[in-house]
mmCIF file of all heavy atoms in Angstrom:
data_model
loop_
_atom_site.group_PDB
_atom_site.id
_atom_site.type_symbol
_atom_site.label_atom_id
_atom_site.label_comp_id
_atom_site.label_asym_id
_atom_site.label_seq_id
_atom_site.Cartn_x
_atom_site.Cartn_y
_atom_site.Cartn_z
ATOM 1 N N THR A 26 -14.307 2.407 6.182
ATOM 2 C CA THR A 26 -14.243 3.350 7.304
ATOM 3 C C THR A 26 -15.338 2.878 8.256
ATOM 4 O O THR A 26 -15.991 1.860 8.051
ATOM 5 C CB THR A 26 -14.555 4.829 6.866
ATOM 6 O OG1 THR A 26 -15.963 4.949 6.659
ATOM 7 C CG2 THR A 26 -13.837 5.197 5.574
ATOM 8 N N HIS A 28 -18.150 4.122 8.589
ATOM 9 C CA HIS A 28 -19.475 4.382 8.044
ATOM 10 C C HIS A 28 -19.695 4.026 6.591
ATOM 11 O O HIS A 28 -20.806 4.071 6.118
ATOM 12 C CB HIS A 28 -19.830 5.830 8.258
ATOM 13 C CG HIS A 28 -19.782 6.254 9.728
ATOM 14 N ND1 HIS A 28 -19.213 7.392 10.136
ATOM 15 C CD2 HIS A 28 -20.315 5.648 10.794
ATOM 16 C CE1 HIS A 28 -19.391 7.516 11.446
ATOM 17 N NE2 HIS A 28 -20.039 6.464 11.902
ATOM 18 N N ILE A 31 -14.877 2.840 0.752
ATOM 19 C CA ILE A 31 -14.398 3.873 -0.168
ATOM 20 C C ILE A 31 -13.325 3.278 -1.123
ATOM 21 O O ILE A 31 -12.761 2.272 -0.825
ATOM 22 C CB ILE A 31 -13.817 5.072 0.657
ATOM 23 C CG1 ILE A 31 -12.799 4.586 1.699
ATOM 24 C CG2 ILE A 31 -14.862 5.901 1.280
ATOM 25 C CD1 ILE A 31 -12.140 5.713 2.501
ATOM 26 N N TYR A 33 -10.755 5.093 -2.251
ATOM 27 C CA TYR A 33 -9.414 5.700 -2.028
ATOM 28 C C TYR A 33 -9.150 5.808 -0.527
ATOM 29 O O TYR A 33 -10.071 6.386 0.170
ATOM 30 C CB TYR A 33 -9.342 7.106 -2.616
ATOM 31 C CG TYR A 33 -9.135 7.129 -4.115
ATOM 32 C CD1 TYR A 33 -10.188 7.323 -4.975
ATOM 33 C CD2 TYR A 33 -7.839 7.046 -4.621
ATOM 34 C CE1 TYR A 33 -10.024 7.384 -6.299
ATOM 35 C CE2 TYR A 33 -7.676 7.093 -6.036
ATOM 36 C CZ TYR A 33 -8.723 7.303 -6.862
ATOM 37 O OH TYR A 33 -8.516 7.331 -8.192
ATOM 38 N N TYR A 34 -8.049 5.409 -0.049
ATOM 39 C CA TYR A 34 -7.594 5.771 1.303
ATOM 40 C C TYR A 34 -6.844 7.123 1.206
ATOM 41 O O TYR A 34 -5.970 7.299 0.382
ATOM 42 C CB TYR A 34 -6.706 4.718 1.897
ATOM 43 C CG TYR A 34 -6.012 5.183 3.119
ATOM 44 C CD1 TYR A 34 -6.654 5.631 4.256
ATOM 45 C CD2 TYR A 34 -4.597 5.180 3.136
ATOM 46 C CE1 TYR A 34 -5.956 6.059 5.397
ATOM 47 C CE2 TYR A 34 -3.917 5.627 4.288
ATOM 48 C CZ TYR A 34 -4.625 6.064 5.422
ATOM 49 O OH TYR A 34 -3.970 6.513 6.508
ATOM 50 N N ILE A 35 -7.320 8.057 2.018
ATOM 51 C CA ILE A 35 -6.717 9.406 1.974
ATOM 52 C C ILE A 35 -5.697 9.459 3.176
ATOM 53 O O ILE A 35 -6.166 9.377 4.321
ATOM 54 C CB ILE A 35 -7.813 10.476 2.146
ATOM 55 C CG1 ILE A 35 -8.812 10.308 1.028
ATOM 56 C CG2 ILE A 35 -7.120 11.868 2.081
ATOM 57 C CD1 ILE A 35 -10.073 11.136 1.257
ATOM 58 N N ASP A 71 -10.207 13.266 14.562
ATOM 59 C CA ASP A 71 -9.287 12.672 13.643
ATOM 60 C C ASP A 71 -7.853 13.072 13.877
ATOM 61 O O ASP A 71 -7.041 13.170 12.947
ATOM 62 C CB ASP A 71 -9.635 13.091 12.129
ATOM 63 C CG ASP A 71 -10.879 12.538 11.631
ATOM 64 O OD1 ASP A 71 -11.414 11.562 12.180
ATOM 65 O OD2 ASP A 71 -11.425 13.101 10.641
ATOM 66 N N MET A 130 -12.019 18.595 11.208
ATOM 67 C CA MET A 130 -11.873 17.143 10.913
ATOM 68 C C MET A 130 -10.831 16.931 9.791
ATOM 69 O O MET A 130 -10.550 17.873 9.048
ATOM 70 C CB MET A 130 -13.182 16.550 10.419
ATOM 71 C CG MET A 130 -14.253 16.640 11.391
ATOM 72 S SD MET A 130 -15.711 15.622 10.981
ATOM 73 C CE MET A 130 -14.969 14.157 10.421
ATOM 74 N N SER A 132 -11.028 14.099 7.422
ATOM 75 C CA SER A 132 -11.788 13.839 6.206
ATOM 76 C C SER A 132 -13.218 13.556 6.543
ATOM 77 O O SER A 132 -13.570 13.062 7.589
ATOM 78 C CB SER A 132 -11.184 12.736 5.393
ATOM 79 O OG SER A 132 -11.040 11.559 6.197
ATOM 80 N N VAL A 133 -14.036 13.947 5.595
ATOM 81 C CA VAL A 133 -15.511 13.808 5.700
ATOM 82 C C VAL A 133 -15.955 13.051 4.468
ATOM 83 O O VAL A 133 -15.673 13.450 3.360
ATOM 84 C CB VAL A 133 -16.197 15.200 5.775
ATOM 85 C CG1 VAL A 133 -17.738 14.994 5.792
ATOM 86 C CG2 VAL A 133 -15.699 15.981 6.919
ATOM 87 N N THR A 134 -16.704 11.975 4.700
ATOM 88 C CA THR A 134 -17.261 11.217 3.530
ATOM 89 C C THR A 134 -18.760 11.310 3.572
ATOM 90 O O THR A 134 -19.410 11.980 2.787
ATOM 91 C CB THR A 134 -16.800 9.791 3.494
ATOM 92 O OG1 THR A 134 -15.379 9.819 3.451
ATOM 93 C CG2 THR A 134 -17.279 9.042 2.309
ATOM 94 N N THR A 135 -19.425 10.583 4.517
ATOM 95 C CA THR A 135 -20.884 10.606 4.580
ATOM 96 C C THR A 135 -21.375 11.759 5.419
ATOM 97 O O THR A 135 -22.571 12.127 5.281
ATOM 98 C CB THR A 135 -21.426 9.278 5.187
ATOM 99 O OG1 THR A 135 -20.942 9.192 6.524
ATOM 100 C CG2 THR A 135 -20.887 8.081 4.397
ATOM 101 N N GLY A 136 -20.575 12.251 6.341
ATOM 102 C CA GLY A 136 -21.065 13.278 7.224
ATOM 103 C C GLY A 136 -21.512 12.757 8.581
ATOM 104 O O GLY A 136 -21.846 13.529 9.475
ATOM 105 N N LYS A 137 -21.520 11.406 8.760
ATOM 106 C CA LYS A 137 -22.007 10.854 9.993
ATOM 107 C C LYS A 137 -21.103 11.233 11.189
ATOM 108 O O LYS A 137 -21.630 11.402 12.320
ATOM 109 C CB LYS A 137 -22.087 9.346 9.897
ATOM 110 C CG LYS A 137 -23.264 8.872 9.063
ATOM 111 C CD LYS A 137 -23.322 7.341 9.035
ATOM 112 C CE LYS A 137 -24.440 6.947 8.053
ATOM 113 N NZ LYS A 137 -24.439 5.536 7.752
ATOM 114 N N THR A 138 -19.817 11.314 10.974
ATOM 115 C CA THR A 138 -18.905 11.733 12.096
ATOM 116 C C THR A 138 -19.141 13.164 12.409
ATOM 117 O O THR A 138 -19.112 13.561 13.604
ATOM 118 C CB THR A 138 -17.416 11.458 11.690
ATOM 119 O OG1 THR A 138 -17.291 10.155 11.242
ATOM 120 C CG2 THR A 138 -16.514 11.648 12.889
ATOM 121 N N VAL A 204 -9.774 1.621 7.754
ATOM 122 C CA VAL A 204 -9.198 2.945 8.011
ATOM 123 C C VAL A 204 -10.029 3.745 8.979
ATOM 124 O O VAL A 204 -11.246 3.587 9.047
ATOM 125 C CB VAL A 204 -9.044 3.754 6.628
ATOM 126 C CG1 VAL A 204 -8.173 2.979 5.662
ATOM 127 C CG2 VAL A 204 -10.350 4.122 6.059
ATOM 128 N N ASN A 205 -9.346 4.584 9.727
ATOM 129 C CA ASN A 205 -10.050 5.497 10.614
ATOM 130 C C ASN A 205 -9.092 6.749 10.807
ATOM 131 O O ASN A 205 -8.040 6.847 10.149
ATOM 132 C CB ASN A 205 -10.453 4.891 11.915
ATOM 133 C CG ASN A 205 -9.345 4.536 12.858
ATOM 134 O OD1 ASN A 205 -8.185 4.923 12.650
ATOM 135 N ND2 ASN A 205 -9.656 3.700 13.825
ATOM 136 N N GLY A 206 -9.500 7.626 11.738
ATOM 137 C CA GLY A 206 -8.713 8.813 11.918
ATOM 138 C C GLY A 206 -7.326 8.624 12.358
ATOM 139 O O GLY A 206 -6.453 9.512 12.250
HETATM 140 O O1 LIG B 301 -14.360 8.257 5.323
HETATM 141 C C1 LIG B 301 -13.486 9.087 5.608
HETATM 142 O O2 LIG B 301 -13.647 10.291 5.511
HETATM 143 C C2 LIG B 301 -12.131 8.562 5.850
HETATM 144 C C3 LIG B 301 -11.373 8.358 4.744
HETATM 145 C C4 LIG B 301 -10.102 7.922 4.890
HETATM 146 O O3 LIG B 301 -9.403 7.700 3.897
HETATM 147 N N1 LIG B 301 -9.676 7.626 6.105
HETATM 148 C C5 LIG B 301 -10.430 7.870 7.246
HETATM 149 O O4 LIG B 301 -9.975 7.605 8.334
HETATM 150 N N2 LIG B 301 -11.716 8.301 7.111
HETATM 151 C C6 LIG B 301 -12.472 8.509 8.388
HETATM 152 O O5 LIG B 301 -13.872 8.387 8.254
HETATM 153 C C7 LIG B 301 -14.521 9.375 9.119
HETATM 154 C C8 LIG B 301 -15.409 10.271 8.333
HETATM 155 O O6 LIG B 301 -16.316 9.587 7.622
HETATM 156 P P1 LIG B 301 -17.914 9.903 7.642
HETATM 157 O O7 LIG B 301 -18.372 9.715 9.055
HETATM 158 O O8 LIG B 301 -18.462 8.892 6.663
HETATM 159 O O9 LIG B 301 -18.011 11.334 7.109
HETATM 160 C C9 LIG B 301 -13.450 10.208 9.709
HETATM 161 O O10 LIG B 301 -13.277 9.828 11.072
HETATM 162 C C10 LIG B 301 -12.231 9.930 8.895
HETATM 163 O O11 LIG B 301 -11.056 10.009 9.599
#
Side-chain angles (χ1 to χ4, degrees):
T26 77
H28 299 135
I31 49 180
Y33 282 97
Y34 165 58
I35 305 167
D71 292 340
M130 299 193 41
S132 55
V133 175
T134 302
T135 63
K137 286 182 184 168
T138 309
V204 302
N205 67 17

